[in-house]
Structures are given as C-alpha cells and as structure tokens.
C-alpha cells in the first residue's frame, strides 16, 4: 500500500489543534499552564486534541460508567467526565496526592466534580477489590506501563460488551521498534501488550497515531 499517513510538523499540529470544536478551552489551558510548571513530568498530561477525541468517544458510545487509571493533574479525567451521559460517574485511580490536589481544583473549575470519584493509592491493590455499580462503558489506562496488562485483565471483565477501553502511549515515542530502547521493561511491556491486543479475541482493537499512539479497544 502507498503511504497514506503524514508526518506531523509543529505548524500542522497547531492547525489541527485549531480545527476542533471547543478549541478555546480556558479550563484546560489554565490547567496546562499550571501542569507545565511541574517540569519534565508535565509530559504525562494528555494533549488537548486527545482530550477532544476522548470526550467525543465517550459521548459517541453514550458512556455512563467510566474508569481511569492514572489521573495525574486531571486533563484526561475532565475530558472523560465532560462526555458522560446524565447521572454518569468516572472513578479515578491515582496514587500521588500531589497531582490530585491540582486535579481536584480543576474538576471544580470544569464543573465536573460531582461526576468524579477518586481512589487514592496503588491501583493494583485497589482494583483487586473494586466492583463498579454497573458494567463499565469506558476505561482509560494511562499509568505505569508495566502494569497496563494487569489493569486490562482486571477491568475487561467489568466492562459491558461494546464498551471502549483506550490505552495511552502505545507507540512510546517510537521506542516500541527502536533497535536498543525497545528492550527497556516499559517498552517491552507496551510492545507485548500491543501484540496481545491485536490477537485477543475478546476485543476489536485499532492503534491510532493520535498523540503518542492510542489503542482503541472495543469489547466483543
Ligand atoms: C510518561 C507517561 C505517560 O503516560 C505519558 O503520557 C507520557 C510520559 C512517562 O512516564 O514518562
Ligand atoms: Mg500517558
């Protein structure tokens, strides 16, 4: 097949950021300004085009019950909560209270605080006891990469058929195929999970080149 993809440039990326509904988002912009001040770790925040896509997908499937693993300062949780159907709830798993103290303020600013619940601690321990009040419609996995597969196996049985699970950073900046860097524990874990998902009869998945690569998986 001919190359039907394009390499993004900064100006082209700026263009696509502009050409979205609700591109002017003072809450997410203020949250990004504050998150950026944290330094290098700020790269864990999801981009605003990814946030738009997640709100879009949550709305598209009519999601009411959602889970996120890895909240950081709150951009992804706001984008999920904004898309939920009336009465819907997002359960956030995060282990670092420093990030949550920022996220909480922005949940208020975005007016989604009533739709979000938090479980503070190690997600592997918390998920072992977690039972949602209804089958989950939407899951976002964006925490420590070596535990993605654990989160997947813990949450997939709690999802409804047709539910959507999104994994963040599934291209790892290209390192999944880098001759040497592919062998770090995190990169191997992501690569192994991509292979597993692509061959997993329980889901239908597609790896899209939004942000750092998103695996979109629909439960069959
Ligand atoms: C890292 C983690 C993320 O989830 C992300 O989106 C970007 C970077 C990291 O661990 O460096
Ligand atoms: Mg991420």
């Amino acid at each position: 097949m001919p190359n039907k993809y394009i390499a993004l440039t900064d100006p082209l990326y700026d263009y696509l950021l502009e050409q979205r509904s609700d591109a002017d988002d003072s809450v997410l912009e203020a949250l990004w300004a504050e998150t950026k001040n944290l330094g290098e770790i700020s790269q864990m925040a999801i981009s605003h085009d990814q946030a738009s896509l997640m709100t879009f997908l949550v709305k598209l499937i009519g999601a009411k019950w959602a889970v996120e693993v890895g909240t950081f300062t709150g951009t992804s949780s706001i984008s999920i909560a904004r898309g939920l159907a009336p009465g819907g709830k997002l359960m956030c798993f995060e282990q670092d209270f420093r990030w949550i103290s920022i996220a909480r303020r922005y949940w208020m600013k975005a007016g989604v605080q009533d739709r979000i619940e938090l479980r503070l601690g190690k997600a592997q321990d918390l998920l072992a006891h977690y039972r949602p009040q209804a089958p989950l419609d939407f899951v976002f996995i964006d925490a420590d990469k070596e535990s993605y597969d654990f989160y997947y196996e813990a949450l997939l049985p709690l999802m409804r058929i047709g539910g959507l699970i999104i994994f963040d950073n599934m291209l790892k900046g290209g390192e999944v195929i880098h001759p040497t860097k592919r062998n770090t524990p995190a990169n191997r874990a992501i690569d192994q999970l991509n292979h597993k998902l692509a061959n997993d009869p329980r889901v239908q998945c597609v790896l899209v080149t939004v942000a750092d690569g998103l695996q979109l998986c629909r439960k069959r």
Side-chain angles (χ1 to χ4, degrees):
M1 255 181 82
N3 289 353
K4 294 294 287 184
Y5 56 86
I6 55 164
L8 277 181
T9 59
D10 288 349
L12 198 50
Y13 181 66
D14 290 342
Y15 177 86
L16 75 81
L17 273 181
E18 280 303 312
Q19 310 312 323
R20 294 175 293 147
S21 304
D22 311 311
D24 291 326
D25 188 326
S26 57
V27 174
L28 289 192
E29 272 159 28
L31 173 52
W32 171 239
E34 188 164 343
T35 301
K36 194 171 55 178
N37 287 332
L38 298 171
E40 202 184 334
I41 197 159
S42 63
Q43 68 188 3
M44 297 203 304
I46 70 162
S47 64
H48 290 179
D49 55 313
Q50 182 177 343
S52 288
L53 177 65
M54 293 200 352
T55 306
F56 182 101
L57 292 171
V58 169
K59 271 222 188 267
L60 187 68
I61 66 167
K64 189 169 180 187
W65 307 107
V67 161
E68 160 179 280
V69 186
T71 293
F72 191 45
T73 57
T75 306
S76 52
S77 53
I78 290 170
S79 74
I80 296 164
R82 279 173 167 171
L84 292 175
K89 279 269 182 329
L90 167 65
M91 178 65 79
C92 291
F93 293 86
E94 170 60 54
Q95 60 177 340
D96 198 320
F97 71 91
R98 289 171 299 170
W99 314 143
I100 287 303
S101 68
I102 297 174
R104 274 192 202 285
R105 279 192 282 114
Y106 285 88
W107 291 343
M108 302 281 282
K109 285 188 209 277
V112 295
Q113 72 278 6
D114 295 342
R115 284 181 237 169
I116 298 180
E117 263 186 68
L118 172 70
R119 296 275 159 92
L120 189 62
K122 204 167 148 30
Q124 287 223 21
D125 301 334
L126 296 168
L127 280 171
H129 305 284
Y130 172 64
R131 291 294 173 272
Q133 51 192 295
L136 299 170
D137 303 300
F138 183 90
V139 168
F140 181 53
I141 307 286
D142 190 17
D144 57 306
K145 309 311 167 206
E146 286 153 88
S147 304
Y148 270 31
D149 188 44
F150 179 94
Y151 304 139
Y152 174 57
E153 293 298 342
L155 288 164
L156 188 67
L158 307 179
M159 297 184 73
R160 70 159 160 95
I161 288 167
L164 176 63
I165 177 163
I166 301 182
F167 296 88
D168 197 42
N169 307 106
M170 295 301 274
L171 288 172
K172 287 301 303 305
E175 290 179 2
V176 282
I177 58 160
H178 188 277
T180 51
K181 291 181 187 165
R182 65 187 297 175
N183 284 316
T184 68
N187 290 337
R188 283 171 60 119
I190 293 293
D191 177 48
Q192 281 168 9
L193 182 57
N194 276 324
H195 281 82
K196 172 173 164 171
L197 293 170
N199 297 288
D200 190 333
R202 298 171 297 172
V203 293
Q204 174 192 11
C205 73
V206 56
L207 175 48
V208 298
T209 56
V210 172
D212 189 23
L214 305 179
Q215 270 288 9
L216 309 181
C217 304
R218 185 184 66 87
K219 180 169 172 173
R220 292 190 208 257

